[in-house]
């Protein structure tokens, strides 16, 4: 039993240590430049701090820093760009054999550009690590070689052998405020067979210093913090009897295996709590997905340093959408421009305060499968918006909406909206995501 458990823990530690070591070495290693991302955003280029710093974009004014007196710190914006490379078979330029893609976040903090620059450099290194495959077999060039070998074997043989390999990595900004910014990297790799392989990596940085935060830096009494985290993870797992039973198979002590999840790069800060997760296939069969355990912040009070707890939210607002041409000039505070597609110029405007604002491409699927819309690509995130607007360039859909806008309120409840148009006069509208397909 102890040998099996130790093996699980060691494998997870190797993954985490390899990633950390890879970043250290890659800083000193000259690698081929990354391909130019397919930029879908227009990100402001911050200047040196001044008495009244502003984001450098079209008609930009920084909104009030703290809505209704809440200590939310500096407003943080994250723009996402995407890069996709497709390789084709050597004997058929129309036959793709590898899709390789990744998303790159860019952080903007106008009042602390030094910390933002430091975080952005670290995020760039993570891209290089993913692209080169340093410390793993997941780099683009290695996957292409594997795809070529497989294509040579499968080409001309019986139909039904999949020859398209893929590797994709998406990034979510899970929390951003005056103390931390936390990202979750989700990678999926398919190299044949019935399913792909998946991995998650959490990265959290101080928005004051730009340094990556480790678990032992979150509390003056790390052992007390670790004990509270372990207690809550175990309690959450026991609520899922099927999962807890699965972990206990083969003589493994479930509580010990769950405590082993408290390790670097397997956690992140979300809006409503601290989240821990295992490696793919670590706690239950890989085909059942990766479980996660969210510990509400109120459970961490007294054991985690106060600076890492989110600030109180004291006000609520809502989002509205309107054409730029319909807004009198000089009557709106703009925080930048996001171009999703060539289309109309719109203002996504906050009336009052909204939090964790996200803009994503979305797709529709059968109601019976669960939620009607799901996110396909992240474009933009704002830690909060207060009586200000983002200029959004996008097409108004003629049929089913394909752009999702979400935000949370002061109670951390998420609201999901879709960009659509008013069926009466054709004006832009934000509609609830419970609409269903017709026709």
């Amino acid at each position: 039993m102890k040998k099996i458990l130790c093996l699980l823990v060691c494998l997870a530690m190797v993954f985490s240590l390899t990633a950390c070591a890879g970043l250290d070495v890659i800083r000193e290693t000259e690698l081929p430049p990354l391909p130019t991302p397919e930029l879908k955003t227009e990100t402001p280029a911050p200047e040196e701090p001044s008495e009244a710093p502003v984001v450098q974009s079209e008609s930009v004014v920084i909104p009030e820093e703290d809505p209704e007196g809440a200590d939310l710190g500096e407003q943080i914006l994250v723009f996402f760009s995407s890069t996709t490379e497709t390789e084709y078979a050597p004997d058929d330029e129309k036959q793709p054999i590898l899709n390789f893609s990744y998303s790159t976040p860019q952080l903007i903090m106008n009042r602390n550009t030094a910390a933002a620059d430091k975080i952005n450099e670290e995020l760039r290194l993570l891209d290089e690590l993913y692209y080169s495959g340093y410390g793993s077999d997941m780099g683009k060039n290695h996957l292409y070689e594997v795809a070529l070998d497989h294509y040579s074997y499968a080409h001309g043989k019986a139909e039904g052998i999949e020859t398209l390999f893929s590797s994709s990595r998406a990034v979510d900004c899970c929390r951003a405020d005056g103390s931390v910014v936390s990202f979750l990297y989700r990678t999926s790799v398919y190299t044949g067979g019935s399913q792909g392989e998946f991995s998650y990596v959490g990265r959290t940085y101080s928005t004051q210093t730009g340094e990556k935060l480790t678990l032992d830096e979150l509390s003056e009494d790390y052992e007390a913090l670790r004990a509270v985290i372990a207690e809550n993870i175990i309690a959450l797992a026991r609520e899922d009897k099927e999962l807890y039973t699965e972990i206990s198979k083969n003589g493994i002590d479930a509580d010990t295996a769950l405590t082993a999840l408290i390790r670097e790069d397997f956690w992140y800060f979300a809006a409503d709590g601290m989240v821990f997760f295992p490696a793919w296939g670590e706690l239950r069969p890989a085909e059942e997905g990766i479980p996660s355990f969210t510990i509400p912040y109120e459970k961490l009070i007294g054991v985690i340093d106060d600076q890492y707890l989110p600030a109180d939210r004291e006000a609520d607002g809502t989002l509205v959408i309107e054409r730029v041409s319909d807004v009198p000039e000089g009557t709106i505070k703009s925080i930048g421009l996001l171009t999703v597609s060539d289309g109309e110029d719109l203002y996504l405007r906050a009336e009052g305060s909204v939090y964790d604002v996200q803009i994503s491409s979305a797709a529709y699927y059968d109601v019976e499968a669960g939620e009607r819309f799901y996110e396909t690509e992240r474009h933009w995130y704002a830690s909060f918006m207060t009586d200000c607007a983002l200029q959004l360039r996008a097409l108004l859909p003629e049929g089913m909406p394909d752009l999702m806008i979400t935000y949370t309120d002061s109670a951390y409840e998420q609201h999901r909206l879709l960009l659509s148009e008013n069926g009466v006069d054709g004006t832009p509208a934000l509609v609830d995501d419970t609409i269903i397909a017709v026709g």
Side-chain angles (χ1 to χ4, degrees):
M1 177 184 75
K2 291 182 178 179
K3 290 182 178 179
I4 295 174
L5 179 59
C6 288
L7 177 60
L8 286 171
V9 175
C10 289
L11 285 173
M13 290 181 66
V14 165
F15 179 86
S16 179
L17 291 173
T18 300
C20 294
L23 277 179
D24 292 337
V25 174
I26 210 168
R27 289 189 181 94
E28 310 298 329
T29 304
E30 184 175 351
L31 296 171
L34 287 169
T36 302
E38 178 190 345
L39 291 175
K40 292 188 176 181
T41 61
E42 296 184 22
T43 55
E47 294 181 337
E48 292 296 323
S50 62
E51 292 183 0
V54 296
V55 180
Q56 301 303 304
S57 185
E58 300 179 8
S59 304
V60 172
V61 178
I62 292 294
E64 292 296 325
E65 185 172 337
D66 302 327
E68 300 296 325
D71 186 19
L72 296 175
E74 179 180 354
Q75 183 188 54
I76 296 173
L77 307 179
V78 183
F79 288 81
F80 297 84
S81 59
S82 62
T83 302
T84 300
E85 292 190 9
T86 302
E87 299 290 347
Y88 295 85
D91 58 349
D92 185 353
E93 62 181 14
K94 295 183 179 180
Q95 176 62 54
I97 61 173
L98 174 64
N99 283 333
F100 190 90
S101 63
Y102 56 95
S103 178
T104 301
Q106 181 181 355
L107 192 74
I108 295 179
M109 298 190 300
N110 286 274
R111 294 178 174 85
N112 194 345
T113 57
D117 289 345
K118 195 166 190 176
I119 295 170
N120 286 330
E121 174 62 15
E122 184 88 355
L123 299 178
R124 185 190 67 80
L125 290 174
L126 288 173
D127 279 353
E128 291 192 4
L129 188 64
Y130 171 71
Y131 192 87
S132 67
Y134 183 88
S136 72
D137 293 331
M138 294 186 183
K140 190 256 181 177
N141 291 337
H142 179 83
L143 279 174
Y144 180 49
E145 292 176 1
V146 174
L148 275 176
D149 289 343
H150 180 72
Y151 177 78
S152 299
Y153 162 77
H155 187 52
K157 290 189 168 53
E159 294 184 3
I161 300 179
E162 179 61 65
T163 58
L164 178 60
F165 287 6
S166 66
S167 180
S168 64
R169 191 181 68 178
V171 189
D172 298 332
C173 183
C174 304
R175 174 184 155 189
D177 52 38
S179 58
V180 303
V181 58
S182 206
F183 297 98
L184 176 64
Y185 284 79
R186 298 177 286 110
T187 303
S188 64
V189 180
Y190 178 77
T191 55
S194 60
Q195 63 177 8
E197 297 183 6
F198 302 87
S199 64
Y200 290 174
V201 173
R203 307 287 295 193
T204 298
Y205 302 91
S206 165
T207 50
Q208 297 298 312
T209 66
E211 296 287 346
K212 179 178 180 288
L213 290 173
T214 57
L215 287 168
D216 59 358
E217 295 174 314
L218 303 181
S219 175
E220 294 182 0
D221 188 348
Y222 173 63
E223 290 306 317
L225 173 62
R226 181 181 173 85
V228 170
I229 292 172
E231 177 185 347
N232 280 274
I233 291 177
I234 292 169
L236 289 168
R238 286 179 174 174
E239 292 176 4
D240 186 339
K241 294 182 179 179
E242 185 175 341
L243 172 63
Y244 196 79
T245 301
E246 186 69 49
I247 300 171
S248 303
K249 286 183 177 179
N250 301 317
I252 293 177
D253 181 76
D255 290 0
T256 305
L258 289 163
T259 301
L261 300 182
I262 309 173
R263 56 184 185 249
E264 295 306 328
D265 296 337
F266 287 81
W267 66 277
Y268 61 91
F269 284 125
D272 57 349
M274 195 174 184
V275 183
F276 289 82
F277 54 89
W280 183 66
E282 181 181 0
L283 294 184
R284 65 185 184 190
E287 62 270 16
E288 296 182 15
I290 301 176
S292 63
F293 306 92
T294 302
I295 305 171
Y297 287 115
E298 56 262 29
K299 302 281 189 180
L300 301 173
I301 294 174
V303 291
I304 196 171
D305 288 351
D306 289 345
Q307 63 176 310
Y308 300 120
L309 296 171
D312 292 335
R313 299 177 173 184
E314 300 179 3
D316 277 325
T318 188
L319 288 173
V320 297
I321 195 82
E322 51 201 342
R323 288 189 173 94
V324 170
S325 58
D326 292 336
V327 178
E329 187 175 351
T331 63
I332 202 165
K333 299 176 182 178
S334 175
I335 57 174
L337 168 65
L338 170 68
T339 300
V340 176
S341 59
D342 291 333
E344 298 197 49
D345 283 332
L346 309 168
Y347 274 135
L348 177 67
R349 182 165 56 87
E351 294 182 341
S353 296
V354 293
Y355 313 87
D356 304 310
V357 185
Q358 301 180 84
I359 300 177
S360 309
S361 292
Y364 176 88
Y365 64 97
D366 196 329
V367 175
E368 295 180 358
E371 294 180 345
R372 294 179 174 86
F373 288 86
Y374 64 98
E375 178 184 301
T376 58
E377 183 181 356
R378 182 72 55 84
H379 300 297
W380 187 81
Y381 170 94
S383 56
F384 65 86
M385 294 176 65
T386 301
D387 297 323
C388 63
L390 171 74
Q391 187 174 342
L392 175 64
R393 186 168 295 156
L395 283 171
L396 289 179
E398 295 182 357
M400 187 57 58
D402 59 5
L403 201 64
M404 179 185 294
I405 300 166
T406 66
Y407 68 93
T408 59
D409 57 26
S410 60
Y412 297 93
E413 180 181 350
Q414 188 182 71
H415 301 259
R416 292 158 52 100
L417 303 170
L418 299 164
L419 177 62
S420 186
E421 63 176 14
N422 186 307
V424 177
D425 56 13
T427 57
L430 296 177
V431 299
D432 191 271
D433 74 333
T434 56
I435 64 171
I436 60 175
V438 293

